[in-house]
Amino acid sequence: MNTGHTPREPVYLAVYDTFADWETGHATAHLARAGYRIRTVGASTRPVTSLGGLRVQPDLALADVRPEDGALLILPGADLWDTSDDLAPFAHAAGEFLAAGTPVAAICGATAGLARAGLLDDRAHTSAVSFYLAATGYAGGGHYVDTDAVTDGHLVTAGPTEPVAFAREILRLLGVYDGEVLDAWYRLFHDSDPEAYAVLRQAGAR
């Protein structure tokens, strides 16, 4: 597992008005502890406001982000995924990341954005419920998996009630934790299992 503090390729966290700030905190906190730099990316560098009222100043504009420079692109849910086309450029960027072999993780409404962009047509995936994605008119319904989170190659998807499972898949994909340590991490943060803490402590994980 990677728990050092050596700077690594950045993890890009997309931020936009109405983004669901609670959905990515487990992932970004533990990636940062493992030495990944978290860089926020907006449509521009103008401040945005999360669904929880947090004002965020993006580090970078989406146009200045290159897939080959990063370790991962995280797309949180947001009301805007379902109420406008404003976030379509982020789904387009996700396609570029995947084409370059750089992982993408999408949760909640961001999965619908990827569906509209055709990125789920041939990949196993999940979301809130199957009919939520079916409403987008996408062609990937046969690849929908009714579970907490799914990883298919370089793509992670999860529904809005599964931020811990979403983080678990990201931490596995980037090799931060694996095996019994990853299982213990999940049991601690998802199930409040006190025995899991002892496993993490013995492994030097936090």
Side-chain angles (χ1 to χ4, degrees):
M1 61 188 167
N2 299 324
T3 56
H5 295 283
T6 303
R8 304 179 185 277
E9 290 180 327
V11 167
Y12 297 121
L13 172 64
V15 293
Y16 19 73
D17 285 330
T18 74
F19 79 91
D21 38 30
W22 65 90
E23 292 177 341
T24 61
H26 286 283
T28 55
H30 289 272
L31 288 171
R33 281 189 162 183
Y36 287 93
R37 291 179 294 129
I38 310 300
R39 305 295 303 280
T40 52
V41 179
S44 70
T45 56
R46 291 191 296 272
V48 299
T49 303
S50 75
L51 202 56
L54 301 180
R55 186 174 182 271
V56 178
Q57 176 85 49
D59 297 313
L60 299 164
L62 184 61
D64 297 325
V65 172
R66 301 190 309 166
E68 59 269 28
D69 293 337
L72 172 71
L73 172 65
I74 301 177
L75 299 174
D79 289 348
L80 289 179
W81 282 113
D82 296 318
T83 59
S84 75
D85 294 326
D86 290 356
L87 302 187
F90 288 92
H92 178 75
E96 294 181 334
F97 270 69
L98 292 171
T102 303
V104 172
I107 186 170
C108 189
T111 61
L114 298 193
R116 295 186 188 96
L119 298 176
L120 304 184
D121 288 352
D122 301 307
R123 294 179 172 93
H125 60 276
T126 193
S127 184
V129 287
S130 60
F131 56 80
Y132 169 64
L133 292 187
T136 68
Y138 84 132
H143 297 285
Y144 187 89
V145 183
D146 189 11
T147 190
D148 54 8
V150 171
T151 299
D152 186 337
H154 295 296
L155 178 65
V156 174
T157 52
T161 61
E162 300 293 344
V164 181
F166 184 58
R168 178 195 65 208
E169 296 303 299
I170 290 171
L171 297 176
R172 188 205 318 271
L173 186 61
L174 294 189
V176 175
Y177 302 135
D178 56 22
E180 68 172 5
V181 176
L182 181 65
D183 176 69
W185 182 90
Y186 181 75
R187 287 188 289 112
L188 178 63
F189 286 97
H190 186 266
D191 303 324
S192 300
D193 182 350
E195 294 182 5
Y197 178 76
V199 176
L200 294 177
R201 184 172 182 178
Q202 183 175 5
R206 295 173 296 165

